[in-house]
Amino acid sequence: MIDSAAVMGALKRPKFHQEVAARTGVPGVATGPRGHRRGRRRPVRRSRVDGGKGGLVLTGQLGDVMKESARIALTYVQSHAAALGIDAQSFDGREFHVHVPAGAIPKDGPSAGVTMVAALTSLLTGRPLKSTVGMTGEVTLQGRVLPIGGLKQKVLAAHAAA
């Protein structure tokens, strides 16, 4: 039976459950853009593999521009390791794996650059990022974050996720 108490109970439920925070609230995971056309958020996950060949492994149907963003993020973090509180030897003989979920959906564009820098820094410092913070923006090799596109859709996606 539907009564006013049932309606009020349904309306007061949170949009998202705490499981999202549990999945993303670990070092090496950051929330970034999913593309301004869809207006959703996408987690970027990084992991470090000891004894690997070194360098970067990318998975998740990434286009050329997004692959460049990942390489720039790794280069930036390596060249600014001391300023970021990362031991420079953290990179020796280690391979870094970047995975952007939703494997069947092609992803491209530079907007995840800042997210990738944050995820890698989080992984190497052991400090998790807040799961409620979304990021967007292209990062240069000097660490500048460039102007973004699709701002309206990205703001609407962030609002819907809040």
Side-chain angles (χ1 to χ4, degrees), residues 24-77:
T24 59
V26 297
V29 179
T31 304
R34 182 169 181 162
H36 60 274
R37 288 185 202 100
R38 290 185 186 84
R40 297 185 198 139
R41 298 180 332 154
R42 165 182 57 228
V44 173
R45 295 182 174 94
R46 288 195 175 256
S47 65
R48 176 177 56 203
V49 180
D50 293 338
K53 298 177 185 177
L56 198 57
V57 174
L58 305 168
T59 56
Q61 289 283 329
L62 306 181
D64 290 340
V65 176
M66 191 171 270
K67 289 176 185 176
E68 287 175 6
S69 291
R71 286 189 211 98
I72 289 169
L74 180 58
T75 300
Y76 175 78
V77 172

Side-chain angles (χ1 to χ4, degrees), residues 64-143:
D64 290 340
V65 176
M66 191 171 270
K67 289 176 185 176
E68 287 175 6
S69 291
R71 286 189 211 98
I72 289 169
L74 180 58
T75 300
Y76 175 78
V77 172
Q78 281 180 309
S79 63
H80 293 84
L84 296 169
I86 299 168
D87 181 5
Q89 294 177 346
S90 298
F91 300 94
D92 296 344
R94 291 192 173 97
E95 193 168 76
F96 295 91
H97 187 145
V98 177
H99 178 64
V100 185
I105 301 170
K107 295 163 271 306
D108 204 5
S111 292
V114 72
T115 309
M116 292 180 183
V117 168
L120 183 56
T121 303
S122 168
L123 176 69
L124 291 167
T125 61
R127 295 185 315 231
L129 297 163
K130 290 184 178 183
S131 63
T132 56
V133 175
M135 298 169 228
T136 186
E138 178 180 1
V139 174
T140 68
L141 285 169
Q142 294 77 31

